[in-house]
């Protein structure tokens, strides 16, 4: 299997209407070996993205023509758009923006005002993670003992895909990471802190609600496949675990 090699000067798309912020971001990215592409509106960003797919996109939530969340959805719908990691820039006071952004499947968020160094570090982390994810070896679920029925989950690490009762799930990176952990050790209880540590590369700035938000969207996707089955258990005040006794057929 070939490991994707990042381009020498990865293109980073920046959708940000404040030129002062955009200038700073472009400056730090350029001096760190990236090729920034600045767009002041969502429309410009859509056009630039369609013309040449960037390695990563940084989206301001407050854009003049479309909000960053809507832009995110439209970018994701473009060819190859779902493979491009995206980071939201949000106002510090808007915790709700962060939760919405993560629920949509963004890879990270950065609160304004931010330090340019922090931004570059996050860009590097997210890019590293997406390259690593693309190169990840297939992860097999634990081999079932002879007497055990087959699991409803099947992980294909190479495609970063999980099948659930035969149906391929459309998961964001964090949802995928969470479900991989659960499926590999059914019954093991993970606290929110553990999940942040194990699934998020930069857990320091995240918070319990981040985990809860992703569990919620993950559950909704599982429920859409098998409405009667509740594969993820909540242990009040503790955390989450995969139910060990799942029916073999939905
Ligand atoms: Ca703005």
């Amino acid at each position: 299997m070939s490991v994707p090699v990042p381009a020498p000067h990865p293109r980073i798309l920046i959708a940000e209407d404040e030129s002062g912020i955009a200038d700073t971001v472009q400056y730090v990215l350029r001096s760190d070996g990236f090729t920034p592409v600045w767009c002041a509106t969502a429309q410009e960003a859509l056009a630039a993205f369609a013309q040449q797919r960037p390695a990563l996109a940084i989206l301001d939530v407050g854009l003049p023509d479309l909000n960053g969340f809507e832009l995110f959805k439209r970018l994701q719908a473009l060819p190859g758009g779902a493979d491009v990691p995206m980071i939201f820039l949000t106002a510090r006071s808007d915790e709700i923006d962060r939760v919405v952004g993560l629920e949509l499947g963004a890879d990270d968020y950065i609160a304004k005002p931010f330090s340019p160094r922090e931004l570059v570090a996050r860009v590097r982390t997210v890019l590293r993670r997406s390259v690593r994810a693309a190169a990840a070896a297939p992860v097999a679920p634990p081999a079932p003992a002879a007497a055990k029925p087959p699991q409803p989950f099947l992980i294909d690490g190479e495609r970063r895909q999980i099948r659930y009762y035969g149906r391929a799930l459309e998961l964001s990176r964090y949802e995928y990471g969470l479900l991989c952990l659960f499926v590999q050790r059914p019954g093991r209880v993970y606290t929110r802190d553990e999940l942040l540590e194990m699934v998020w590369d930069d857990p320091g700035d995240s918070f319990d609600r981040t985990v809860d938000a992703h569990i919620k969207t993950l559950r909704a996707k599982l429920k859409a496949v098998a409405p009667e089955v509740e594969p993820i258990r909540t242990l009040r005040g503790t955390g989450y675990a995969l139910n060990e006794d799942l029916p073999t057929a939905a």
Side-chain angles (χ1 to χ4, degrees):
M1 187 181 60
S2 67
V3 174
V5 177
H9 298 286
R11 248 172 111 82
I12 311 290
L13 182 78
I14 306 155
E16 168 61 68
D17 57 319
E18 283 170 68
S19 59
I21 294 178
D23 284 348
T24 311
V25 171
Q26 288 187 90
Y27 177 78
V28 287
L29 286 174
R30 203 173 285 126
S31 54
D32 237 67
F34 294 100
T35 306
V37 179
W38 173 38
C39 302
T41 65
Q43 290 308 333
E44 269 181 56
L46 283 162
F49 193 101
Q51 199 175 44
Q52 193 178 343
R53 213 172 65 176
L56 180 146
I58 300 172
L59 313 177
D60 178 28
V61 171
L63 288 169
D65 49 346
L66 277 181
N67 77 45
F69 300 137
E70 189 56 39
L71 173 61
F72 174 86
K73 286 191 223 162
R74 295 201 191 175
L75 290 174
Q76 287 237 309
L78 290 175
D83 298 330
V84 175
M86 301 195 202
I87 297 177
F88 281 117
L89 290 180
T90 68
R92 188 172 286 286
S93 54
D94 273 339
E95 183 178 294
I96 190 70
D97 275 359
R98 306 181 191 191
V99 174
V100 170
L102 294 171
E103 280 193 357
L104 282 176
D107 293 274
D108 208 344
Y109 60 83
I110 296 170
K112 292 178 182 176
F114 53 85
S115 94
R117 287 287 115 211
E118 181 199 357
L119 175 100
V120 172
R122 299 283 198 96
V123 165
R124 287 208 173 282
T125 302
V126 169
L127 280 176
R128 219 171 29 237
R129 188 165 61 209
S130 71
V131 168
R132 202 171 58 208
V139 182
K148 264 194 163 181
Q151 289 213 15
F153 289 99
L154 198 64
I155 302 178
D156 181 346
E158 204 162 14
R159 291 193 173 79
R160 270 184 89 68
Q161 199 178 64
I162 301 180
R163 286 185 168 277
Y164 179 49
Y165 292 117
R167 286 258 304 273
L169 299 167
E170 293 266 338
L171 302 174
S172 72
R173 284 188 177 73
Y174 293 133
E175 289 165 353
Y176 175 85
L178 288 170
L179 193 52
C180 269
L181 260 190
F182 290 140
V183 170
Q184 285 167 35
R185 293 187 62 189
R188 156 78 150 87
V189 178
Y190 292 96
T191 66
R192 290 174 178 82
D193 281 347
E194 280 178 321
L195 293 172
L196 281 172
E197 278 300 323
M198 295 166 98
V199 178
W200 274 258
D201 274 358
D202 266 322
D205 284 343
S206 299
F207 45 107
D208 288 0
R209 275 195 65 195
T210 306
V211 174
D212 295 340
H214 281 81
I215 295 281
K216 193 174 150 214
T217 54
L218 181 55
R219 275 184 168 143
K221 289 175 183 182
L222 296 169
K223 208 167 196 72
V225 173
E228 254 82 88
V229 184
E230 196 57 81
I232 300 172
R233 292 195 296 140
T234 303
L235 292 101
R236 299 234 168 269
T238 313
Y240 298 99
L242 190 80
N243 192 338
E244 287 171 285
D245 304 309
L246 292 173
T248 54

